């Protein structure tokens, strides 16, 4: 499959709220997930499909998604970029905010081997 | 300067159509510029500020920009992403089209050392 084939499938699964299928069917077992930032004591980088799956599950459980916009993909070589604009409420704090970010995905052997999330930390 | 400081300056110069100042003041002499694709015989990768400046100049001379939208920046570590939506006409062909792309910029020593343009090749 081309990077664009994989990118289109990724976007389709995001748009239809089947992110669990991305993890189960599109991620390499050794996937590396990199956040732009992390709370004190936490790591911005997580490795392995189990840890990445748990991170995703925790996020889903602690956030209510009111609406989601997924744009792209934009490919270049073995990478592609996707833009996310999510209107969400963080359940523990009750705070509603707009999640405005871009993701850079790297493909190898028809699997996603790296996901990097880009967003402002208020800087 | 933080990546976000540099990213904000880059976006401001894009929005005010001062792209020549980006090349003159923000690029490393050894900048590498990578396109998602290139015409037969041409290289998708160009190295050095002189070659990248010439590529930019050629593009500006052969395209009329009717309107431009610049979104972002979204930072992560030493990188940031910017989205461009340009309504342009290619002067030699007379063809008007929407340039819908994302750029991934890499910063080192307060200079931009790599620019990668992500866009669909119709795949």
């Amino acid at each position: 499959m081309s990077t664009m084939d994989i990118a289109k499938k990724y976007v389709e699964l995001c748009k239809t709220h089947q992110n669990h299928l991305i993890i189960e069917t599109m991620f390499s077992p050794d996937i590396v997930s990199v956040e732009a930032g992390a709370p004190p004591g936490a790591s911005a980088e997580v490795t392995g499909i189990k840890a990445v799956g748990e991170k995703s599950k925790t996020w889903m459980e602690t956030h209510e998604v009111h609406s989601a916009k997924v744009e792209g993909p934009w490919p270049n070589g073995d990478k592609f970029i996707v833009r996310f604009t999510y209107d969400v409420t963080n359940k523990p704090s009750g705070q509603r905010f707009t999640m405005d970010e871009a993701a850079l995905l790297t493909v190898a052997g028809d699997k996603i081997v790296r996901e990097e999330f880009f967003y402002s930390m208020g800087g």
Side-chain angles (χ1 to χ4, degrees), chain A residues 4 6 10 12-13 20 24 30 32 36 62 64 66 71 73 75 77 80 89 95 109 115:
Chain A
M4 192 54 167
I6 291 166
Y10 176 95
E12 187 196 326
L13 291 174
H20 63 285
E24 289 165 21
D30 303 317
V32 177
T62 52
E64 182 185 352
H66 307 290
E71 294 169 279
F80 63 95
T89 294
Q95 198 189 346
E115 59 170 10

PDB file of all heavy atoms in Angstrom, chain A residues 4 6 10 12-13 20 24 30 32 36 62 64 66 71 73 75 77 80 89 95 109 115:
ATOM      1  N   MET A   4      -0.302   7.135   0.900  1.00  0.00           N
ATOM      2  CA  MET A   4      -1.598   7.800   0.755  1.00  0.00           C
ATOM      3  C   MET A   4      -2.753   6.835   1.038  1.00  0.00           C
ATOM      4  O   MET A   4      -3.750   7.228   1.641  1.00  0.00           O
ATOM      5  CB  MET A   4      -1.722   8.417  -0.639  1.00  0.00           C
ATOM      6  CG  MET A   4      -2.885   9.373  -0.787  1.00  0.00           C
ATOM      7  SD  MET A   4      -2.898  10.712   0.472  1.00  0.00           S
ATOM      8  CE  MET A   4      -4.124  11.811  -0.244  1.00  0.00           C
ATOM      9  N   ILE A   6      -2.706   4.287   3.116  1.00  0.00           N
ATOM     10  CA  ILE A   6      -2.726   4.122   4.572  1.00  0.00           C
ATOM     11  C   ILE A   6      -3.262   5.392   5.238  1.00  0.00           C
ATOM     12  O   ILE A   6      -4.076   5.335   6.169  1.00  0.00           O
ATOM     13  CB  ILE A   6      -1.310   3.754   5.077  1.00  0.00           C
ATOM     14  CG1 ILE A   6      -0.960   2.335   4.589  1.00  0.00           C
ATOM     15  CG2 ILE A   6      -1.209   3.852   6.592  1.00  0.00           C
ATOM     16  CD1 ILE A   6       0.485   1.955   4.719  1.00  0.00           C
ATOM     17  N   TYR A  10      -6.556   5.775   7.640  1.00  0.00           N
ATOM     18  CA  TYR A  10      -6.403   6.375   8.976  1.00  0.00           C
ATOM     19  C   TYR A  10      -7.439   7.485   9.191  1.00  0.00           C
ATOM     20  O   TYR A  10      -8.147   7.515  10.200  1.00  0.00           O
ATOM     21  CB  TYR A  10      -4.976   6.911   9.106  1.00  0.00           C
ATOM     22  CG  TYR A  10      -4.653   7.643  10.390  1.00  0.00           C
ATOM     23  CD1 TYR A  10      -4.070   6.979  11.465  1.00  0.00           C
ATOM     24  CD2 TYR A  10      -4.902   9.002  10.511  1.00  0.00           C
ATOM     25  CE1 TYR A  10      -3.773   7.647  12.636  1.00  0.00           C
ATOM     26  CE2 TYR A  10      -4.601   9.682  11.680  1.00  0.00           C
ATOM     27  CZ  TYR A  10      -4.037   9.004  12.739  1.00  0.00           C
ATOM     28  OH  TYR A  10      -3.737   9.676  13.897  1.00  0.00           O
ATOM     29  N   GLU A  12     -10.230   8.012   7.514  1.00  0.00           N
ATOM     30  CA  GLU A  12     -11.590   7.459   7.484  1.00  0.00           C
ATOM     31  C   GLU A  12     -11.974   6.879   8.850  1.00  0.00           C
ATOM     32  O   GLU A  12     -13.087   7.102   9.344  1.00  0.00           O
ATOM     33  CB  GLU A  12     -11.668   6.376   6.401  1.00  0.00           C
ATOM     34  CG  GLU A  12     -13.067   5.838   6.163  1.00  0.00           C
ATOM     35  CD  GLU A  12     -13.040   4.529   5.389  1.00  0.00           C
ATOM     36  OE1 GLU A  12     -12.144   4.363   4.533  1.00  0.00           O
ATOM     37  OE2 GLU A  12     -13.892   3.658   5.679  1.00  0.00           O
ATOM     38  N   LEU A  13     -11.051   6.154   9.475  1.00  0.00           N
ATOM     39  CA  LEU A  13     -11.325   5.559  10.792  1.00  0.00           C
ATOM     40  C   LEU A  13     -11.441   6.637  11.876  1.00  0.00           C
ATOM     41  O   LEU A  13     -12.241   6.510  12.811  1.00  0.00           O
ATOM     42  CB  LEU A  13     -10.252   4.522  11.155  1.00  0.00           C
ATOM     43  CG  LEU A  13     -10.280   3.238  10.312  1.00  0.00           C
ATOM     44  CD1 LEU A  13      -9.086   2.340  10.650  1.00  0.00           C
ATOM     45  CD2 LEU A  13     -11.585   2.463  10.503  1.00  0.00           C
ATOM     46  N   HIS A  20     -10.128   2.835  17.801  1.00  0.00           N
ATOM     47  CA  HIS A  20      -9.640   1.554  18.327  1.00  0.00           C
ATOM     48  C   HIS A  20      -9.186   0.633  17.186  1.00  0.00           C
ATOM     49  O   HIS A  20      -8.258  -0.151  17.336  1.00  0.00           O
ATOM     50  CB  HIS A  20     -10.724   0.864  19.167  1.00  0.00           C
ATOM     51  CG  HIS A  20     -11.954   0.499  18.386  1.00  0.00           C
ATOM     52  ND1 HIS A  20     -12.886   1.439  17.987  1.00  0.00           N
ATOM     53  CD2 HIS A  20     -12.398  -0.677  17.890  1.00  0.00           C
ATOM     54  CE1 HIS A  20     -13.860   0.847  17.304  1.00  0.00           C
ATOM     55  NE2 HIS A  20     -13.581  -0.442  17.236  1.00  0.00           N
ATOM     56  N   GLU A  24      -5.690  -1.309  16.627  1.00  0.00           N
ATOM     57  CA  GLU A  24      -5.698  -2.777  16.468  1.00  0.00           C
ATOM     58  C   GLU A  24      -5.169  -3.248  15.116  1.00  0.00           C
ATOM     59  O   GLU A  24      -4.538  -4.312  15.019  1.00  0.00           O
ATOM     60  CB  GLU A  24      -7.129  -3.300  16.649  1.00  0.00           C
ATOM     61  CG  GLU A  24      -7.613  -3.228  18.097  1.00  0.00           C
ATOM     62  CD  GLU A  24      -9.124  -3.401  18.191  1.00  0.00           C
ATOM     63  OE1 GLU A  24      -9.725  -3.949  17.250  1.00  0.00           O
ATOM     64  OE2 GLU A  24      -9.706  -2.962  19.202  1.00  0.00           O
ATOM     65  N   ASP A  30       5.576  -2.035  17.716  1.00  0.00           N
ATOM     66  CA  ASP A  30       6.625  -1.210  18.330  1.00  0.00           C
ATOM     67  C   ASP A  30       6.384   0.285  18.145  1.00  0.00           C
ATOM     68  O   ASP A  30       7.318   1.096  18.223  1.00  0.00           O
ATOM     69  CB  ASP A  30       7.986  -1.582  17.732  1.00  0.00           C
ATOM     70  CG  ASP A  30       8.291  -3.058  17.902  1.00  0.00           C
ATOM     71  OD1 ASP A  30       8.026  -3.579  18.995  1.00  0.00           O
ATOM     72  OD2 ASP A  30       8.776  -3.673  16.939  1.00  0.00           O
ATOM     73  N   VAL A  32       5.832   4.156  18.346  1.00  0.00           N
ATOM     74  CA  VAL A  32       6.264   5.194  19.286  1.00  0.00           C
ATOM     75  C   VAL A  32       5.295   6.364  19.158  1.00  0.00           C
ATOM     76  O   VAL A  32       4.993   6.818  18.054  1.00  0.00           O
ATOM     77  CB  VAL A  32       7.700   5.664  18.977  1.00  0.00           C
ATOM     78  CG1 VAL A  32       8.112   6.797  19.912  1.00  0.00           C
ATOM     79  CG2 VAL A  32       8.676   4.494  19.106  1.00  0.00           C
ATOM     80  N   ALA A  36       3.426  16.654  22.321  1.00  0.00           N
ATOM     81  CA  ALA A  36       4.170  17.918  22.369  1.00  0.00           C
ATOM     82  C   ALA A  36       4.579  18.246  23.798  1.00  0.00           C
ATOM     83  O   ALA A  36       5.591  18.900  24.040  1.00  0.00           O
ATOM     84  CB  ALA A  36       3.337  19.043  21.778  1.00  0.00           C
ATOM     85  N   THR A  62     -11.588   9.929  29.845  1.00  0.00           N
ATOM     86  CA  THR A  62     -11.554  11.169  30.627  1.00  0.00           C
ATOM     87  C   THR A  62     -12.022  12.389  29.831  1.00  0.00           C
ATOM     88  O   THR A  62     -12.009  13.508  30.349  1.00  0.00           O
ATOM     89  CB  THR A  62     -10.127  11.432  31.175  1.00  0.00           C
ATOM     90  OG1 THR A  62      -9.195  11.359  30.085  1.00  0.00           O
ATOM     91  CG2 THR A  62      -9.750  10.421  32.237  1.00  0.00           C
ATOM     92  N   GLU A  64     -15.096  13.969  27.043  1.00  0.00           N
ATOM     93  CA  GLU A  64     -16.319  13.854  26.255  1.00  0.00           C
ATOM     94  C   GLU A  64     -16.111  14.670  24.983  1.00  0.00           C
ATOM     95  O   GLU A  64     -15.760  15.853  25.046  1.00  0.00           O
ATOM     96  CB  GLU A  64     -17.513  14.395  27.043  1.00  0.00           C
ATOM     97  CG  GLU A  64     -18.835  14.249  26.289  1.00  0.00           C
ATOM     98  CD  GLU A  64     -20.007  14.897  27.017  1.00  0.00           C
ATOM     99  OE1 GLU A  64     -19.816  15.332  28.173  1.00  0.00           O
ATOM    100  OE2 GLU A  64     -21.093  14.982  26.430  1.00  0.00           O
ATOM    101  N   HIS A  66     -17.574  16.557  21.945  1.00  0.00           N
ATOM    102  CA  HIS A  66     -18.830  17.160  21.474  1.00  0.00           C
ATOM    103  C   HIS A  66     -18.891  17.200  19.950  1.00  0.00           C
ATOM    104  O   HIS A  66     -19.926  16.964  19.351  1.00  0.00           O
ATOM    105  CB  HIS A  66     -18.982  18.569  22.053  1.00  0.00           C
ATOM    106  CG  HIS A  66     -18.853  18.612  23.543  1.00  0.00           C
ATOM    107  ND1 HIS A  66     -19.805  18.074  24.374  1.00  0.00           N
ATOM    108  CD2 HIS A  66     -17.866  19.075  24.345  1.00  0.00           C
ATOM    109  CE1 HIS A  66     -19.411  18.231  25.634  1.00  0.00           C
ATOM    110  NE2 HIS A  66     -18.244  18.837  25.639  1.00  0.00           N
ATOM    111  N   GLU A  71      -9.024  16.861   9.181  1.00  0.00           N
ATOM    112  CA  GLU A  71      -8.652  17.346   7.846  1.00  0.00           C
ATOM    113  C   GLU A  71      -7.352  16.704   7.375  1.00  0.00           C
ATOM    114  O   GLU A  71      -6.495  16.357   8.155  1.00  0.00           O
ATOM    115  CB  GLU A  71      -8.510  18.867   7.869  1.00  0.00           C
ATOM    116  CG  GLU A  71      -9.818  19.593   8.130  1.00  0.00           C
ATOM    117  CD  GLU A  71      -9.593  21.074   8.416  1.00  0.00           C
ATOM    118  OE1 GLU A  71      -9.240  21.392   9.570  1.00  0.00           O
ATOM    119  OE2 GLU A  71      -9.755  21.883   7.502  1.00  0.00           O
ATOM    120  N   PRO A  73      -5.661  13.683   4.617  1.00  0.00           N
ATOM    121  CA  PRO A  73      -4.233  13.710   4.922  1.00  0.00           C
ATOM    122  C   PRO A  73      -3.410  14.443   3.855  1.00  0.00           C
ATOM    123  O   PRO A  73      -3.823  14.548   2.712  1.00  0.00           O
ATOM    124  CB  PRO A  73      -3.882  12.218   4.909  1.00  0.00           C
ATOM    125  CG  PRO A  73      -4.799  11.640   3.874  1.00  0.00           C
ATOM    126  CD  PRO A  73      -6.070  12.435   3.982  1.00  0.00           C
ATOM    127  N   PRO A  75       0.358  13.870   2.413  1.00  0.00           N
ATOM    128  CA  PRO A  75       1.498  12.944   2.450  1.00  0.00           C
ATOM    129  C   PRO A  75       2.801  13.536   1.896  1.00  0.00           C
ATOM    130  O   PRO A  75       2.771  14.482   1.100  1.00  0.00           O
ATOM    131  CB  PRO A  75       1.026  11.815   1.526  1.00  0.00           C
ATOM    132  CG  PRO A  75       0.177  12.519   0.503  1.00  0.00           C
ATOM    133  CD  PRO A  75      -0.433  13.729   1.182  1.00  0.00           C
ATOM    134  N   GLY A  77       6.480  11.270   1.034  1.00  0.00           N
ATOM    135  CA  GLY A  77       7.310  10.072   1.237  1.00  0.00           C
ATOM    136  C   GLY A  77       6.605   9.072   2.134  1.00  0.00           C
ATOM    137  O   GLY A  77       5.457   8.688   1.868  1.00  0.00           O
ATOM    138  N   PHE A  80       2.799  11.217   6.719  1.00  0.00           N
ATOM    139  CA  PHE A  80       1.652  12.051   6.380  1.00  0.00           C
ATOM    140  C   PHE A  80       1.206  12.861   7.594  1.00  0.00           C
ATOM    141  O   PHE A  80       1.478  12.496   8.740  1.00  0.00           O
ATOM    142  CB  PHE A  80       0.488  11.234   5.789  1.00  0.00           C
ATOM    143  CG  PHE A  80      -0.128  10.207   6.705  1.00  0.00           C
ATOM    144  CD1 PHE A  80      -1.258  10.512   7.464  1.00  0.00           C
ATOM    145  CD2 PHE A  80       0.386   8.926   6.791  1.00  0.00           C
ATOM    146  CE1 PHE A  80      -1.865   9.561   8.286  1.00  0.00           C
ATOM    147  CE2 PHE A  80      -0.197   7.963   7.621  1.00  0.00           C
ATOM    148  CZ  PHE A  80      -1.326   8.276   8.369  1.00  0.00           C
ATOM    149  N   THR A  89     -14.763  18.151  26.434  1.00  0.00           N
ATOM    150  CA  THR A  89     -14.774  18.480  27.866  1.00  0.00           C
ATOM    151  C   THR A  89     -13.931  17.447  28.602  1.00  0.00           C
ATOM    152  O   THR A  89     -14.107  16.239  28.426  1.00  0.00           O
ATOM    153  CB  THR A  89     -16.209  18.463  28.442  1.00  0.00           C
ATOM    154  OG1 THR A  89     -16.963  19.525  27.845  1.00  0.00           O
ATOM    155  CG2 THR A  89     -16.192  18.671  29.957  1.00  0.00           C
ATOM    156  N   GLN A  95     -13.710  21.114  32.442  1.00  0.00           N
ATOM    157  CA  GLN A  95     -13.321  22.192  31.535  1.00  0.00           C
ATOM    158  C   GLN A  95     -13.542  21.806  30.066  1.00  0.00           C
ATOM    159  O   GLN A  95     -13.066  20.762  29.616  1.00  0.00           O
ATOM    160  CB  GLN A  95     -11.840  22.534  31.770  1.00  0.00           C
ATOM    161  CG  GLN A  95     -11.457  23.902  31.200  1.00  0.00           C
ATOM    162  CD  GLN A  95      -9.949  24.144  31.237  1.00  0.00           C
ATOM    163  OE1 GLN A  95      -9.221  23.415  31.911  1.00  0.00           O
ATOM    164  NE2 GLN A  95      -9.497  25.142  30.513  1.00  0.00           N
ATOM    165  N   GLY A 109       6.621  -0.629   6.269  1.00  0.00           N
ATOM    166  CA  GLY A 109       6.068  -1.974   6.093  1.00  0.00           C
ATOM    167  C   GLY A 109       4.556  -2.005   6.230  1.00  0.00           C
ATOM    168  O   GLY A 109       3.998  -2.908   6.856  1.00  0.00           O
ATOM    169  N   GLU A 115       3.737   8.103  15.783  1.00  0.00           N
ATOM    170  CA  GLU A 115       2.743   9.181  15.730  1.00  0.00           C
ATOM    171  C   GLU A 115       3.249  10.306  16.620  1.00  0.00           C
ATOM    172  O   GLU A 115       3.650  10.077  17.758  1.00  0.00           O
ATOM    173  CB  GLU A 115       1.350   8.703  16.178  1.00  0.00           C
ATOM    174  CG  GLU A 115       1.293   8.152  17.584  1.00  0.00           C
ATOM    175  CD  GLU A 115      -0.120   7.888  18.122  1.00  0.00           C
ATOM    176  OE1 GLU A 115      -1.093   7.951  17.356  1.00  0.00           O
ATOM    177  OE2 GLU A 115      -0.232   7.596  19.330  1.00  0.00           O
TER     178      GLU A 115
END
